[in-house]
Amino acid sequence: MDHELQLAACADIAALSALLARTSLDPAQVVAGVPECVDGAELARALFAHAPLGEAAAAACVRRAEAVDAHTGRLDWAIRWLQALPAHPQVARALRNARILDRLIGAAGMQPWTLAAANAMGGARVVARVLELAAADPELAPVLEELRGSDGLRAAWNAWWLHNMVGCDLAPAAIELHAAWFDDRVLLATVYAVGAPCVDAARAEAALLAVAGNHGLHSVDRAAHIRMPERLRALISAADWAQPDQWLLSADEASQAVAAGLAQAQALRTLSQHAQLDLDMPAIAQCQDCVPAQQRLLARCLQSPGPETLAWLLELRELQVFGATAADRIRSELLRALLLAGQLDAARALLAASADSAFADPVADTACAAARELLDNADSASRDSAPVRAALQCLDAVPAAAQSAAAQHERLLADAAHLVWTLGAPPGALRIFRAADTRLLPIEIRHIDDPFELLRLVLERYPEAFRRQRVVREIAAALLQLKLGVSVEMSLRDLAVRSPEELFAVALMLEAAVRLPDAEAARGFVLQLSAARAVAAPLMAAAELQRAARMLGHGPRDVGERALDT
């Protein structure tokens, strides 16, 4: 007790030195009992100039530093005291924590916890708390330098960043200033995995160059393609970031990974700039040797094509983003996309610029396919509706398609569909009729092969259409031309029945009139059919022959059917 009172009475180093000369006190006892006002550096020289620092003494020294902080608020005194002590792990940890707190005070005027609390946290918790504070306030970023003072914190540093890298505004500065402290695993996870994949080409490049720097690769040749080393590609695909040993890269692997990653970042930048696609680095990496992924990406790139699209698509193909897609296939798909988007001038420019280049499909087939898709998706059969007009413009924009049979078929379909659409217009009002009549669309006309079944469907969808007999006969002629390639001249002036085709058309209109019912119109159609005995007689005779042949058990191609065919 006397010694404790004597120690407490020592107000300076001279009084303490005099006491030590008269007694043989244990250094740990001296440190615990001497007042905090005694200069720490002089105290350390007096006690430990010629003696090692044992565990008990080290613990006492740390407790003194904590007491100085708690009782005086002078963290600088605590740091001076700890700096003057001989090397010891306990002292080193306390000094690191004191410096961190001192930097926090200097940077933001705040001390979030006491030195005693920091020492009790453990290294991993200190790292996490400091990084959380720095991520919330960029002014605290310089404090990170203090974490690097202890190799024992590197694992905790990488563990925190592994789960917090993406979306953290602190990340670019941290990678730039402390790249050597990041494991390859964390840097690659920054690009390909953590939380949400990397969508920023510049951040991806910074992380990849940090990998290169950690392996001493100060000049990395950018790869001509996005192909990653197979082992690394498998690891990224498996997304197993929890095993650090798997991510120990050789210098050669690191060089290939960085080069391929920089090519992927270039592709990401190109797609963001020209196609305005919200992609990420894993989406680019997935295109390596994956045909479905390449096709999906190409389809997205062609959603909004323009005059410059071919140039950057071929650039991406050189990077192997579309490595499994031939250049002629890209040209064909682009031509189709331009036609579908109504970019006719760009389509013509593409044809002119590619005059000496191959297309995967004949350009006429591509134009017809685009016209077919537009017609099949039309919400109105009117020739003035945007899809139908665009379909016809597709056929006109490609000279090679102008006279092809497929193009002629699409034009006939558009004409037939437009004629059907006119049935929905009030009599005498066709010029001002613009309704999007959806009762019979071009796609339905395409998928019904029998022209007379189609005509019956027209009369069912438009119940009063039989009252416009001339239009119905025109529709019948158009459907015959479209479906059978048969050109029939209808009697539109006198409405006489001079052909079997007209006979069938009038019979269907009679059926529609009876169904409504409209007795007067039905009577008129009956009279027309009665006056057409000369046309009907051969048909009736053929039908009788067919019926007789079936009763006698002849095959399907009997005399009656041949007569009907004729």
Side-chain angles (χ1 to χ4, degrees):
M1 182 63 68
D2 290 342
H3 290 159
E4 291 179 2
L5 292 174
Q6 291 174 349
L7 286 170
C10 296
D12 55 32
I13 195 65
L16 178 63
S17 297
L19 176 63
L20 293 176
R22 299 192 306 269
T23 63
S24 57
L25 295 175
D26 180 71
Q29 184 180 10
V30 173
V31 170
V34 76
E36 288 90 352
C37 60
V38 174
D39 183 87
E42 293 180 354
L43 176 62
R45 284 194 293 271
L47 292 175
F48 304 111
H50 304 292
L53 190 61
E55 290 294 327
C61 290
V62 171
R63 286 194 297 270
R64 172 183 166 79
E66 293 172 352
V68 169
D69 173 50
H71 298 158
T72 70
R74 295 300 301 267
L75 197 61
D76 55 328
W77 287 4
I79 292 174
R80 185 180 179 188
W81 158 244
L82 293 169
Q83 286 177 329
L85 294 170
H88 190 280
Q90 291 187 55
V91 173
R93 286 193 295 271
L95 180 58
R96 175 200 68 206
N97 292 337
R99 284 172 171 167
I100 290 172
L101 291 173
D102 189 52
R103 292 295 291 270
L104 287 172
I105 294 171
M110 60 173 289
Q111 183 174 343
W113 52 84
T114 64
L115 179 57
N119 290 338
M121 285 182 191
R125 184 60 180 154
V126 170
V127 169
R129 291 294 300 275
V130 170
L131 287 171
E132 287 166 3
L133 290 171
D137 184 358
E139 296 294 327
L140 301 180
V143 180
L144 301 185
E145 295 177 7
E146 299 298 336
L147 298 179
R148 295 186 59 189
S150 172
D151 289 337
L153 298 184
R154 180 168 180 167
W157 165 280
N158 281 282
W160 189 89
W161 281 112
L162 185 65
H163 297 95
N164 296 278
M165 179 70 79
V166 172
C168 180
D169 293 334
L170 181 65
I175 290 176
E176 180 181 358
L177 297 174
H178 312 292
W181 239 48
F182 286 96
D183 293 340
D184 291 342
R185 170 184 61 138
V186 177
L187 292 169
L188 291 174
T190 300
V191 178
Y192 296 107
V194 178
C198 181
V199 297
D200 189 315
R203 283 194 176 190
E205 289 174 338
L208 291 164
L209 291 174
V211 173
N214 289 346
H215 287 268
L217 305 170
H218 301 296
S219 59
V220 179
D221 293 332
R222 291 179 180 264
H225 53 73
I226 64 168
R227 301 181 64 82
M228 300 282 285
E230 195 58 39
R231 187 182 78 87
L232 188 57
R233 179 189 175 194
L235 283 174
I236 291 173
S237 299
D240 183 8
W241 307 98
Q243 304 297 326
D245 294 343
Q246 297 184 37
W247 296 90
L248 297 176
L249 305 183
S250 66
D252 187 52
E253 280 183 320
S255 176
Q256 294 179 53
V258 171
L262 292 176
Q264 293 167 8
Q266 177 58 39
L268 183 65
R269 183 178 286 107
T270 297
L271 288 164
S272 176
Q273 176 182 351
H274 294 290
Q276 288 77 51
L277 295 182
D278 294 328
L279 295 173
D280 49 46
M281 289 291 285
I284 305 299
Q286 188 182 17
C287 289
Q288 179 174 332
D289 298 331
C290 182
V291 175
Q294 293 182 21
Q295 291 175 340
R296 288 192 298 269
L297 180 56
L298 180 59
R300 292 186 65 186
C301 291
L302 295 176
Q303 289 176 352
S304 300
E308 306 299 326
T309 302
L310 180 62
W312 56 264
L313 283 179
L314 293 179
E315 175 186 331
L316 291 174
R317 184 176 180 274
E318 289 297 318
L319 292 173
Q320 297 293 306
V321 176
F322 300 125
T325 306
D328 54 357
R329 170 55 60 188
I330 292 176
R331 289 190 180 88
S332 291
E333 293 295 331
L334 175 58
L335 176 61
R336 175 177 167 276
L338 290 169
L339 293 172
L340 288 173
Q343 299 279 341
L344 302 181
D345 290 339
R348 294 187 187 98
L350 173 62
L351 290 171
S354 305
D356 298 329
S357 302
F359 285 81
D361 303 313
V363 292
D365 292 350
T366 301
C368 292
R372 186 181 306 115
E373 183 171 342
L374 288 165
L375 284 174
D376 287 350
N377 288 286
D379 58 359
S380 173
S382 170
R383 192 182 290 113
D384 293 326
S385 68
V388 177
R389 184 169 62 250
L392 296 175
Q393 289 173 344
C394 283
L395 301 175
D396 295 334
V398 180
Q403 303 303 320
S404 69
Q408 185 63 24
H409 180 83
E410 298 306 317
R411 289 193 176 93
L412 287 171
L413 175 59
D415 292 342
H418 181 77
L419 279 172
V420 173
W421 173 82
T422 62
L423 291 173
L430 183 58
R431 290 182 179 275
I432 62 172
F433 182 64
R434 292 292 182 269
D437 194 331
T438 60
R439 279 178 279 184
L440 191 65
L441 296 176
I443 190 171
E444 294 180 90
I445 296 174
R446 184 186 303 280
H447 291 294
I448 299 176
D449 294 329
D450 189 323
F452 291 109
E453 283 299 319
L454 261 174
L455 187 59
R456 176 178 279 111
L457 182 61
V458 169
L459 293 168
E460 289 175 358
R461 300 279 178 88
Y462 297 86
E464 298 187 11
F466 62 84
R467 291 173 179 158
R468 302 170 67 178
Q469 187 176 165
R470 288 180 174 82
V471 177
V472 173
R473 289 195 182 204
E474 285 188 81
I475 292 172
L479 294 177
L480 285 163
Q481 179 72 30
L482 173 67
K483 297 298 182 179
L484 303 179
V486 175
S487 180
V488 178
E489 185 175 348
M490 294 289 179
S491 303
L492 301 180
R493 181 180 294 276
D494 57 5
L495 298 180
V497 177
R498 295 186 174 87
S499 67
E501 292 81 10
E502 288 179 305
L503 185 74
F504 280 113
V506 172
L508 291 174
M509 285 188 279
L510 170 60
E511 179 183 288
V514 172
R515 185 168 54 244
L516 190 60
D518 185 334
E520 186 62 28
R523 180 176 177 277
F525 292 131
V526 169
L527 292 176
Q528 288 183 38
L529 293 173
S530 299
R533 290 189 181 90
V535 176
L539 296 176
M540 294 176 65
E544 285 298 321
L545 282 172
Q546 185 184 50
R547 187 172 68 85
R550 283 179 177 166
M551 290 178 64
L552 295 173
H554 288 279
R557 301 298 298 173
D558 57 23
V559 177
E561 288 194 0
R562 287 197 296 273
L564 278 175
D565 290 344
T566 304

